[in-house]
Amino acid sequence: MLPAIRGVQAGTTFFVTMIPLKVIAKLFLFDGDELAPELRAQRSLNKGRLPEMVRYMVENPTGYTFSALTASIDGTVRFDAVGDGPQTSLLGNLRIPMESRFVINDGQHRHAAIKEAIQQLPELGQEMIAVVFYLDVGLQRCQQMFADLNRHAVRPSKSIGVLYDHRDLHASLSRLLVLRCPVFRGFVEMESSSLAKASRKLFTLSAIHGATRTLLEGLSDVDQDGAFALADGWWRAVDEQLPEWQGVRDRAMRSPEVRADFIHTHGITLAALARVGNTMLRENRDIDAWQATLRALRTLDWSRQNPLWEGRALVGGRVVKGQTNVLLTTAVIRQHLGMDLPPDERRAEEALTSAGLSTASDTASRSES
């Protein structure tokens, strides 16, 4: 017997109740991979998602949030209302026979994560989660429910995830940079992870977040203030060598034109610059010591028309940001600055060469001749 609220949606009765997590872990069935997809009521479990979800619960026992599970009951249930009035008739107790079968329609990954999290932190078992119960009407209806529940689900953008994440120190640092660093202040799209063609912004918050995280990778001995100082100093130093960035801030150039004509405001280039910066900061955290090296950034042709970028930052004239593209773009910048290539970037260049394209150094030498 479970205390529940009864409701009707699209002519179908459903019940909302609260169940302890320790009961959730034992109560529901999941149609495993041994069944063909057409015979299951939901998609197969992606076990790669579970460690992160379990860690989220275990590391935030007083601050995690899980939305309600949706499940079907295959059994004869009885709802005993507490009264006959318009409101009290909706409140009551849901009586479910012990032999009933419960199948999750939405939330199978949350269910699996709850089971594992309780094993690591048993006290979580006393907590509650909301469950929406429907009366089971067969496999076809269950499959349709899964399709309907996921049809209009929209994953939030990476930018808004960074904006609203107050646990991740890197997210907090990124927000601080956007607010305080003159390079970014007023020119960052905070919600979307892409920029509209006519947008007056130059960067996205997600791109700055990803690049700054790369910039500070391995520098674990710095506190939050120190991390901000390094990141702020680095992006200011880069900004001094990119007159188009300054031109937009001075209203001498328009953001849409700069984004359309150059690649240096795009996420792939920010990531590549951050990889270069990470190497520099690992060797010497005094950014002033790198000023002479960074001046060469001003003489690099960042325009989309530069054939050097095709096959690296661009594919068919369009900016792409695969991991290999980041490595190849970084390699161009490193070589232009006179720096050695690390093994991963050298391998990417060799693979590009073997595919029939020239290396960054070959292309640069031909353009200079």
Side-chain angles (χ1 to χ4, degrees):
M1 183 177 69
L2 296 169
I5 301 173
R6 179 175 57 185
V8 177
Q9 186 179 85
T12 301
T13 300
F14 67 94
F15 305 92
V16 181
T17 187
M18 296 287 210
I19 299 179
L21 296 187
K22 63 181 179 182
V23 176
I24 288 289
K26 301 176 182 178
L27 189 62
F28 295 102
L29 298 177
F30 178 75
D31 294 336
D33 293 334
E34 65 273 7
L35 292 179
E38 63 271 18
L39 299 178
R40 295 199 304 260
Q42 66 272 83
R43 60 189 163 192
S44 60
L45 195 68
N46 181 356
K47 295 181 180 179
R49 292 179 56 189
L50 297 184
E52 183 179 355
M53 297 176 71
V54 173
R55 185 167 56 252
Y56 166 66
M57 289 188 71
V58 172
E59 293 180 358
N60 301 283
T62 62
Y64 74 92
T65 303
F66 270 3
S67 57
L69 305 177
T70 302
S72 296
I73 306 174
D74 183 6
T76 303
V77 304
R78 191 179 83 201
F79 181 75
D80 297 329
V82 298
D84 299 325
Q87 302 299 323
T88 55
S89 63
L90 302 179
L91 306 176
N93 294 308
L94 184 64
R95 299 182 181 274
I96 307 172
M98 293 296 294
E99 63 272 15
S100 296
R101 184 173 181 266
F102 301 86
V103 176
I104 294 180
N105 302 113
D106 182 62
Q108 60 266 39
H109 290 90
R110 274 163 280 159
H111 170 251
I114 287 170
K115 290 179 66 175
E116 291 194 23
I118 290 175
Q119 291 178 5
Q120 297 184 29
L121 197 64
E123 52 266 37
L124 287 173
Q126 304 301 320
E127 305 210 344
M128 311 282 278
I129 191 170
V131 180
V132 180
F133 279 122
Y134 287 87
L135 301 182
D136 186 58
V137 289
L139 177 62
Q140 182 176 346
R141 174 57 179 158
C142 285
Q143 290 177 336
Q144 187 63 56
M145 286 175 63
F146 176 85
D148 291 344
L149 287 166
N150 288 277
R151 186 185 307 278
H152 303 294
V154 178
R155 186 178 179 86
S157 71
K158 291 183 179 178
S159 285
I160 205 164
V162 174
L163 183 63
Y164 291 164
D165 191 344
H166 296 277
R167 288 196 180 94
D168 184 0
L169 294 179
H170 287 287
S172 298
L173 175 61
S174 299
R175 292 193 299 271
L176 198 60
L177 277 173
V178 167
L179 291 173
R180 295 187 181 179
C181 181
V183 178
F184 302 126
R185 189 169 56 237
F187 292 94
V188 176
E189 168 56 50
M190 303 295 282
E191 292 190 49
S192 176
S193 293
S194 61
L195 293 172
K197 188 174 182 179
S199 174
R200 297 174 60 187
K201 308 296 185 182
L202 274 179
F203 317 97
T204 64
L205 178 58
S206 59
I208 293 170
H209 175 253
T212 301
R213 193 177 192 121
T214 298
L215 176 68
L216 300 173
E217 186 176 355
L219 306 179
S220 56
D221 59 322
V222 296
D223 59 16
Q224 192 76 344
D225 290 339
F228 173 81
L230 287 175
D232 179 69
W234 168 256
W235 292 119
R236 287 177 187 242
V238 169
D239 174 72
E240 290 178 7
Q241 311 307 326
L242 300 177
E244 293 81 17
W245 290 14
Q246 300 173 52
V248 171
R249 293 200 304 275
D250 295 339
R251 301 182 184 277
M253 304 182 74
R254 297 179 66 249
S255 299
E257 294 171 356
V258 169
R259 295 197 313 273
D261 295 340
F262 302 92
I263 69 163
H264 51 40
T265 64
H266 292 268
I268 184 174
T269 312
L270 294 181
L273 288 166
R275 283 179 60 89
V276 173
N278 181 256
T279 299
M280 292 181 171
L281 292 178
R282 284 172 180 265
E283 295 180 12
N284 189 341
R285 296 184 188 179
D286 181 6
I287 296 174
D288 291 337
W290 293 103
Q291 289 292 350
T293 301
L294 287 175
R295 289 193 189 101
L297 289 177
R298 185 176 288 264
T299 62
L300 182 56
D301 182 359
W302 298 96
S303 71
R304 286 176 183 254
Q305 304 307 315
N306 183 0
L308 185 65
W309 303 119
E310 184 59 39
R312 294 180 170 87
L314 304 174
V315 174
R318 297 178 63 86
V319 176
V320 292
K321 196 191 172 184
Q323 181 57 32
T324 300
N325 302 100
V326 173
L327 295 177
L328 290 167
T329 303
T330 308
V332 171
I333 299 172
R334 282 194 206 274
Q335 293 182 107
H336 190 79
L337 297 180
M339 301 172 66
D340 295 331
L341 297 186
D344 55 352
E345 293 171 23
R346 187 180 304 111
R347 286 192 296 269
E349 278 289 331
E350 291 171 353
L352 189 65
T353 303
S354 66
L357 296 176
S358 60
T359 63
S361 56
D362 290 338
T363 305
S365 63
R366 285 202 303 271
S367 64
E368 292 171 359
S369 62

